[in-house]
Amino acid sequence: GGRLPTMVAGRSFPGCTDATPPRASLALRFERTPMWFAHTSPTWGAGVCFIDYHAGGAHARPLGDAADAAGHHDWSYARGALISLEQYNDIVSQENANRRDLRLGVTELVALRDAAAAAPPPARAWPS
């Protein structure tokens, strides 16, 4: 929660109701998953980051093997955090103008994951 100095919007985010730190955190590499920026975030005043998980059957893998040194341009990197379902719902709500109707249960999350995997690739604005 809070407000970072790099944010251009004047609002602050309340953070998660449950302020427990993530149970785990892991650097991830998404192979054959290009990243690009499009549109403009009203919060950050810059492009919104997208990854094309349809590009080549994206698979998240932990960082740290020899392939990381190869400098692949079609890989994306992220940090995953193991948080509770309540924390996830708080984040989704805050990322969507505090819409509380977006709260999901485990069944809905599994359905959303399956639908995303079956959806057609997004239209790309420009590669990174």
Side-chain angles (χ1 to χ4, degrees):
R3 187 176 189 292
L4 296 173
T6 52
M7 296 170 124
V8 295
R11 71 180 189 165
S12 291
F13 291 87
C16 295
T17 305
D18 174 2
T20 304
R23 287 180 276 167
S25 178
L26 182 65
L28 299 170
R29 173 185 73 225
F30 292 88
E31 298 176 2
R32 297 176 310 281
T33 310
M35 175 190 304
W36 72 97
F37 294 86
H39 310 289
T40 301
S41 163
T43 300
W44 300 102
V48 178
C49 179
F50 296 89
I51 61 170
D52 184 356
Y53 53 89
H54 287 90
H59 300 286
R61 303 201 190 288
L63 288 179
D65 62 21
D68 292 324
H72 295 277
H73 298 289
D74 62 345
W75 291 5
S76 296
Y77 297 87
R79 176 149 298 277
L82 182 57
I83 58 175
S84 71
L85 182 58
E86 177 188 9
Q87 290 171 317
Y88 176 82
N89 279 316
D90 284 346
I91 293 167
V92 168
S93 173
Q94 290 172 45
E95 289 289 329
N96 290 281
N98 289 319
R99 288 184 50 193
R100 291 295 179 188
D101 62 322
L102 296 177
R103 300 190 76 73
L104 302 172
V106 173
T107 302
E108 291 88 357
L109 285 175
V110 169
L112 184 62
R113 178 203 62 197
D114 294 345
R124 292 178 58 169
W126 64 83
S128 61

